[in-house]
Amino acid sequence: MSEENAEEVKQLEAEVKLLQAEIRALQQQRQDSWENFSFQFRGQMQHALAFVCGRTQDLEETVVSRLKEEVEQLEKDLKLQTQMNGISLNSCITKTLQSRGREVVHQVCLSGCSSELVFQVEFQLSELKDGARTERRIRDLNLVLDSSDLQSLSSFLSRVEETRELLLFFRTIRSFSEKCDDRTRTFQHFQEKFPSIVSLPEGCGSEVMTLNHPELPGCGFFIHWCMDVSTGGAVTPKIQLLSKIPEKALQMFPSQPAGGGAAEAFQSLLRILGPKAAMESIIRAVSLSERDELSD
């Protein structure tokens, strides 16, 4: 190697060393900047900065793990709230309709259920900022329910849409659902206990339970259990006993009222014994000679 080439190699080596020193200085500067950020931020912000800066793969895994833990905890909290409130929300969609000055208007759509009662709530939420205070108002409320008992709820729903009392709506549908569930459990209990007498033509969730004795074709009783919902949100069970007796049988006892006064007697039993015991008394009376079944 000539002296000229040897000198050129030394110059290149010197430049490489300078570049390496500059790289180390830049790396140290970056480290110092990170430590300064870490000093100012703590908790989730520090983890986020570490993730963005790409410090280490271990830190990324730690952030993901903690996020999973937070999501699992939120799911547990939501499940607990659902059990306490009796309301389960399936979706919540929010869309900003306008943002002008101090007022922001959102379109909100909620869907969920309370037991078997499925509902959908749509409304506009107006937020008006006044300094540090924010005033929120609901308008254009629209309620949709998927229920066979809409007739008993129609007046209440119209009233809520007019007054925009969402809390009253949720409290009432929870109470309504609980009472419907109680009716379902009661009907199912009697169908299982007296299968030859009790039938539920429209299923356990219907309003009607039919009582028929196999040896008395054409005669039957029907227990009609519906819910009366006031415009103020009060849910009251309304239980009636209806009878079906052939015309010939009625002609044999013209002085007796249809059903032999069973409806009035049933209402008295309801007041004294309560729904379940009153129904069982009627079922046993209809059973007549079903002694084997009654002895169970």
Side-chain angles (χ1 to χ4, degrees), residues 257-271:
E264 293 78 5
F266 179 69
Q267 293 301 318
S268 298
L269 289 173
L270 280 176
R271 289 190 293 270

Side-chain angles (χ1 to χ4, degrees), residues 102-103 126-137:
R102 297 181 303 155
E103 185 180 22
S126 173
E127 296 182 342
L128 184 62
K129 293 185 178 181
D130 184 9
R133 190 172 66 91
T134 301
E135 181 181 355
R136 294 179 175 87
R137 291 184 179 179

Side-chain angles (χ1 to χ4, degrees), residues 140-145 150-165 168-169 172 229-233:
D140 297 338
L141 177 62
N142 182 38
L143 304 172
V144 179
L145 291 181
L150 285 179
Q151 184 176 356
S152 58
L153 287 163
S154 59
S155 298
F156 166 72
L157 295 178
S158 298
R159 177 62 176 169
V160 171
E161 288 179 341
E162 179 183 344
T163 60
R164 301 184 294 277
E165 296 184 59
L168 175 63
F169 168 74
T172 301
V229 184
S230 70
T231 55

Side-chain angles (χ1 to χ4, degrees), residues 5 35 39 76 84 86 113 120 139 149 154 188 208 220 237 273 286:
N5 289 338
E35 291 177 355
F39 179 78
K76 290 180 181 179
M84 293 173 60
C113 61
Q120 183 171 310
R139 61 193 187 196
D149 298 311
S154 59
Q188 190 171 10
V208 179
L273 304 177
V286 173

Side-chain angles (χ1 to χ4, degrees), residues 212-217 287-290:
N212 289 294
H213 192 284
E215 297 178 8
L216 298 175
S287 298
L288 295 175
S289 61
E290 295 291 303

Side-chain angles (χ1 to χ4, degrees), residues 61-114:
E61 294 176 354
T62 301
V63 172
V64 173
S65 177
R66 291 190 178 183
L67 286 174
K68 287 182 178 179
E69 291 177 1
E70 291 180 8
V71 170
E72 290 175 357
Q73 185 60 46
L74 288 172
E75 289 176 345
K76 290 180 181 179
D77 293 342
L78 179 59
K79 184 177 180 180
L80 179 61
Q81 288 293 326
T82 300
Q83 292 174 347
M84 293 173 60
N85 300 328
I87 303 291
S88 176
L89 293 179
N90 299 326
S91 69
C92 176
I93 302 174
T94 304
K95 179 182 178 182
T96 301
L97 298 181
Q98 70 176 45
S99 178
R100 184 175 54 192
R102 297 181 303 155
E103 185 180 22
V104 180
V105 180
H106 305 283
Q107 180 74 29
V108 182
C109 179
L110 300 172
S111 65
C113 61
S114 178

Side-chain angles (χ1 to χ4, degrees), residues 168-216:
L168 175 63
F169 168 74
F170 287 120
R171 285 198 300 266
T172 301
I173 64 170
R174 175 189 176 183
S175 177
F176 182 86
S177 297
E178 288 176 346
K179 287 180 170 57
C180 288
D181 289 344
D182 181 53
R183 177 184 64 193
T184 298
R185 287 191 296 268
T186 302
F187 279 2
Q188 190 171 10
H189 164 75
F190 286 129
Q191 186 186 39
E192 293 173 354
K193 187 172 182 179
F194 304 100
S196 64
I197 303 297
V198 175
S199 62
L200 301 170
E202 298 181 11
C204 297
S206 67
E207 297 181 349
V208 179
M209 179 170 66
T210 303
L211 312 179
N212 289 294
H213 192 284
E215 297 178 8
L216 298 175

